[in-house]
Amino acid sequence: MAQTVIKTDVALVGAGIMSATLGALLRQLQPDWSISLFERLDAAAAESSDPWNNAGTGHSALCELNYTPKTADGDVNIDKALNINEQFQVSRQFWAHAVDNGVLGAPDEFINPIPHVSFTHGAAGAEYLRKRYDRLSAQTLFEGMEYITDPDEFSKRLPLMATGRDFDEPVALNWFTDGTDVDFGALTQGLLNFVSRGGDIYFGHAVTNLNKQSDGSWIVKVRNTRTGEKLQVHAKFVFVGAGGGALHLLQKSGIAEAKGFGGFPVSGEFFRCTNPDLIEQHAAKVYGQAAVGAPPMSVPHLDTRVINHKKGLLFGPYAGWSPKFLKSGSFMDLPNSVKPSNMLPMLSIAPQEFGLLKYLISELAAGPADRVATLSEFVPRALGSDWEMITAGQRVQVIRKTGVGGSLEFGTAVVAAGDGTIAGLLGASPGASTAVPAMLNVLEKCFPAEYKAWTPKLTEMIPSFGQKLSDNRDLFHQVWDWTSTSLQLKRDPAIASTGA
């Protein structure tokens, strides 16, 4: 039987938020280019972008304490928080432009206003949040942040967390009213609907290999998972946005830039509330402090979600471990990822990350009662019967070669070939929230000549393009007002003042 041959300008691998974002950008920047997307599963956003596989926080460093670590002298370092918030503002502008121009539909399908809150208890925690507030509230991007220690105000804003709490121990909050909840599954689907208007999307099609040709183009080998039919895709540019599956494919591509990279998989679970009365008592995303040795993605949080216009409540994550690189992956993913070029970096991680390994072992040993006890730090009267355990998406942390060893990175990394013909994304949080700046990075690395010509269109989509909003207060307020209006995030002042 003759093999099906497909010719395309751009081949996207994976139907998650990254490929969807890149496809939507290219459809607007270069509408004459052909785009073909291949997804192994039968639906879009079925792995980490699925709304129940992540917390949907819209990571903007408003509440995540791992982005504002304590310094050796007892101060608080806010550099990472400023950088991540700046990136989220870029994503927010792109989404607002997409809504304004019919790329995306009703904004409340994928984004809703929810306060972002940092929470600590104990005198040391309260002092840390005070210093964090002092540093952040003076910054343009964090204007409006509040520092709250009064038990009555705490109870008014977070009744579920207040009921049954012993306020003899100090509590503290950093409160930011204008945070958001993002359904990255719905956002991905909306962007792919736009891509499909002029592109081709193939579900149930697994990419099995990547071979570079002498002219710089790529032959992408694809298998129809339903029929077994094999396709040969000729692409001028390939983007591997396959989440945990990206490392394997980048290794198969043979590009030098992927050598030395490894992956450390971390799985997780969430408690999902099944009691409607409890869900209605909470309306915020509340983040606490991570346990000693815990990875940043394991910061405990009590999270209001809005999915399909229905309010929900999550708590977690509870860390676990699996050698799979995808939730639907193979137990051979980790061993198959070990290559001569990354063996030493991967082996060097164990002694460096003893605290992480100890944390994972303790989490795996925890029983149901232990998990409810952890929840009770946030919900003092928590009952296991009000919550069900769900499995979250699989995350693969980047191991990067450094010298003869390696280092474990908690973040995202763009890996691109020197000639710009292929790129991929590795890593996890903040991930989806910074998808737009990550994909702009891909465009800049892979299409340097076109990137300059695209600048006017990019500036139209992202008014702060090429600028830092943290350095331009007037522009920030203009952009904030526009995005708040377009994304329907403006809140009733009376409601906002109560934190409801």
Side-chain angles (χ1 to χ4, degrees):
M1 185 173 66
Q3 191 175 57
T4 301
V5 176
I6 297 172
K7 292 187 177 182
T8 188
D9 292 313
V10 176
L12 304 175
V13 184
I17 186 62
M18 295 299 173
S19 292
T21 299
L22 183 58
L25 280 165
L26 286 172
R27 280 276 292 115
Q28 295 175 84
L29 295 170
Q30 205 72 42
D32 58 321
W33 286 3
S34 55
I35 298 176
S36 300
L37 182 148
F38 303 90
E39 167 57 50
R40 179 174 61 92
L41 302 177
D42 292 325
E47 282 282 349
S48 293
S49 299
D50 179 89
W52 291 117
N53 283 345
N54 61 74
T57 300
H59 287 285
S60 45
L62 296 170
C63 58
E64 306 93 324
L65 298 179
N66 51 297
Y67 297 145
T68 52
K70 295 179 186 176
T71 59
D73 61 0
D75 201 356
V76 177
N77 187 320
I78 63 171
D79 293 346
K80 191 169 187 179
L82 291 175
N83 181 50
I84 288 174
N85 192 294
E86 194 83 53
Q87 292 182 69
F88 183 72
Q89 300 302 328
V90 172
S91 292
R92 183 173 157 131
Q93 290 172 72
F94 175 71
W95 300 337
H97 176 271
V99 169
D100 289 349
N101 291 273
V103 172
L104 291 169
D108 65 354
E109 296 286 342
F110 69 89
I111 190 167
N112 287 276
I114 293 291
H116 282 203
V117 185
S118 305
F119 161 64
T120 62
H121 50 84
E127 177 63 12
Y128 162 61
L129 281 195
R130 185 191 65 77
K131 290 181 178 179
R132 180 179 183 270
Y133 164 78
D134 288 343
R135 294 294 309 278
L136 286 178
S137 62
Q139 301 293 322
T140 296
L141 300 182
F142 292 83
E143 291 176 358
M145 178 176 282
E146 302 174 73
Y147 175 62
I148 298 168
T149 57
D150 177 60
D152 290 338
E153 190 64 25
F154 183 106
S155 301
K156 177 182 175 183
R157 301 198 188 198
L158 299 171
L160 181 62
M161 293 180 62
T163 303
R165 184 171 297 278
D166 181 3
F167 283 105
D168 287 342
E169 181 185 42
V171 293
L173 305 174
N174 283 168
W175 184 284
F176 196 91
T177 293
D178 295 318
T180 51
D181 173 74
V182 184
D183 180 342
F184 287 107
L187 175 60
T188 299
Q189 186 62 66
L191 293 172
L192 288 180
N193 287 343
F194 172 70
V195 173
S196 69
R197 295 178 200 172
D200 298 306
I201 297 180
Y202 299 84
F203 290 110
H205 282 72
V207 173
T208 59
N209 212 341
L210 300 161
N211 296 310
K212 191 173 184 180
Q213 304 305 291
S214 58
D215 63 356
S217 65
W218 290 84
I219 290 180
V220 183
K221 294 186 177 180
V222 180
R223 179 177 57 84
N224 185 321
T225 60
R226 304 183 192 95
T227 66
E229 178 190 6
K230 294 181 179 179
L231 288 73
Q232 190 175 99
V233 181
H234 295 244
K236 296 177 182 176
F237 171 75
V238 177
F239 174 70
V240 184
L247 179 60
H248 286 306
L249 290 174
L250 288 171
Q251 288 174 332
K252 286 187 175 183
S253 73
I255 61 172
E257 291 78 5
K259 295 186 185 301
F261 276 99
F264 183 79
V266 179
S267 58
E269 295 179 318
F270 282 100
F271 265 143
R272 179 166 59 189
C273 189
T274 58
N275 186 332
D277 293 336
L278 297 185
I279 294 171
E280 285 305 311
Q281 291 178 46
H282 190 78
K285 290 179 175 291
V286 182
Y287 275 59
Q289 292 179 296
V292 176
M297 59 172 284
S298 294
V299 171
H301 43 95
L302 185 65
D303 234 67
T304 293
R305 300 302 321 274
V306 183
I307 299 172
N308 294 327
H309 302 285
K310 184 177 179 181
K311 189 177 169 185
L313 187 61
L314 289 178
F315 178 78
Y318 297 95
W321 192 83
S322 165
K324 293 182 179 183
F325 278 10
L326 290 164
K327 192 173 177 179
S328 62
S330 164
F331 287 107
M332 293 302 294
D333 284 345
L334 178 58
N336 285 340
S337 74
V338 179
K339 309 294 180 185
S341 64
N342 67 12
M343 186 177 294
L344 283 178
M346 293 183 73
L347 289 174
S348 71
I349 291 302
Q352 295 177 36
E353 299 291 341
F354 179 74
L356 171 59
L357 295 176
K358 182 179 177 182
Y359 167 76
L360 289 175
I361 291 170
S362 66
E363 284 283 284
L364 289 169
D370 299 311
R371 295 183 169 191
V372 174
T374 301
L375 170 60
S376 67
E377 292 186 25
F378 283 70
V379 184
R381 293 184 177 172
L383 297 174
S385 57
D386 290 326
W387 304 79
E388 63 179 358
M389 190 63 70
I390 62 172
T391 301
Q394 192 80 349
R395 304 290 187 267
V396 179
Q397 308 296 344
V398 175
I399 297 175
R400 188 189 295 266
K401 185 176 182 180
T402 53
V404 296
S407 61
L408 188 65
E409 298 182 357
F410 298 102
T412 51
V414 172
V415 179
D419 64 0
T421 60
I422 187 171
L425 195 80
L426 302 176
S429 182
S433 304
T434 57
V436 177
M439 293 305 98
L440 291 177
N441 188 6
V442 169
L443 293 178
E444 185 176 21
K445 284 185 173 184
C446 298
F447 303 99
E450 293 88 344
Y451 196 73
K452 186 175 181 180
W454 289 336
T455 297
K457 182 64 176 178
L458 288 170
T459 305
E460 176 189 324
M461 291 191 278
I462 303 162
S464 72
F465 181 74
Q467 303 182 64
K468 290 183 67 175
L469 288 172
S470 56
D471 295 335
N472 192 330
R473 189 171 183 272
D474 289 341
L475 178 59
F476 168 70
H477 284 292
Q478 292 173 23
V479 165
W480 183 264
D481 288 343
W482 159 57
T483 57
S484 295
T485 299
S486 293
L487 297 175
Q488 297 176 13
L489 297 175
K490 288 195 171 183
R491 297 161 62 89
D492 184 295
I495 295 176
S497 67
T498 67

